[in-house]
Amino acid sequence: MLKMTQMVPIFSGAGAVSVVGTRMKEYECKRVLLMYGPEMKRLGFADKVKNHLIEAGLDVVEYDKIVPEPNDTDIDNNVSFVRNSGADGCVALGGGSTMDTAKALLGLSTREGTSIRDHMFHRTANQWLNNNGYKLICIPTTSGTGSEVSESAVITDTAMGFKSSFKYPADLAILDPELTVTMPKYLTAETAMDA
């Protein structure tokens, strides 16, 4: 029997993304790491979220190095960026790869001397990585992965050649259907089947 140990609150509706800055302020964050892939910049979504954060009086640091299906090397090679960002909060904007990357980078950032592999389910009984003080808001732009409300994240272990998971739930999921209408038809179909 599956047991859910932590529920992620959801704020949803058309235009819901507009509350992202207010919510980060409620968490007492001052500097927010905004993570997204190149498509979010091209569509204007990254700038939209950034503007909401700035309007709330927050400093914003952008991280745009999200790759599809991230692996342990991607995480280990980029964790220093998060460590040096000075951020106390994070907004992950995009699909499952963005949200899983954010969870991995945040979780690993306070655990110097370790690899994300050291915290994966198939290697350790203690896969929790969420006790490091960052606040995380996930804003999905696709459907299907459920990473925004899941306590788990999935990263590929390159040494073993398969995907594994660790636990790092978000503090809030913002579901705004207006951010999904520009998805390509094939991606809409793929993520619908995933869901």
Side-chain angles (χ1 to χ4, degrees):
M1 184 169 103
L2 293 175
K3 179 182 175 188
M4 182 170 275
T5 57
Q6 184 165 342
M7 297 290 288
V8 175
I10 298 171
F11 185 82
S12 64
V17 72
S18 65
V19 305
V20 66
T22 305
R23 292 301 175 101
M24 274 295 178
K25 287 289 275 192
E26 289 171 2
Y27 291 138
E28 300 181 358
C29 293
K30 294 179 176 40
R31 188 172 176 89
V32 177
L33 190 57
L34 175 57
M35 293 189 182
Y36 57 86
E39 192 69 4
M40 295 298 100
K41 189 72 167 179
R42 188 186 71 75
L43 292 170
F45 294 164
D47 289 335
K48 183 178 197 174
V49 171
K50 180 181 178 180
N51 289 338
H52 288 308
L53 294 167
I54 291 170
E55 287 167 8
L58 298 160
D59 290 332
V60 179
V61 179
E62 296 179 74
Y63 178 91
D64 62 357
K65 296 174 178 46
I66 301 297
V67 296
E69 309 301 329
N71 63 46
D72 49 18
T73 304
D74 299 322
I75 302 306
D76 292 347
N77 288 343
N78 289 289
V79 70
S80 62
F81 182 89
V82 176
R83 285 188 183 126
N84 298 324
S85 70
D88 51 7
C90 178
V91 174
L93 173 69
S97 292
T98 300
M99 292 180 277
D100 288 354
T101 297
K103 291 176 178 185
L105 289 172
L106 294 176
L108 194 59
S109 67
T110 57
R111 292 163 175 84
E112 291 195 51
T114 67
S115 165
I116 194 62
R117 290 184 307 278
D118 300 327
H119 305 283
M120 291 181 172
F121 180 76
H122 69 285
R123 293 179 181 262
T124 179
N126 182 15
Q127 319 90 26
W128 285 98
L129 283 174
N130 65 325
N131 58 347
N132 59 4
Y134 290 102
K135 292 297 183 181
L136 172 61
I137 294 178
C138 289
I139 306 175
T141 58
T142 64
S143 308
T145 70
S147 185
E148 70 275 10
V149 293
S150 169
E151 64 185 21
S152 297
V154 177
I155 302 291
T156 299
D157 182 329
T158 54
M160 301 295 285
F162 59 77
K163 294 183 179 188
S164 188
S165 64
F166 57 91
K167 296 180 180 181
Y168 192 116
D171 294 284
L172 176 68
I174 296 178
L175 309 181
D176 189 335
E178 293 178 352
L179 300 180
T180 65
V181 295
T182 55
M183 274 199 308
K185 291 179 182 178
Y186 78 90
L187 189 56
T188 300
E190 285 179 6
T191 56
M193 292 300 291
D194 194 13

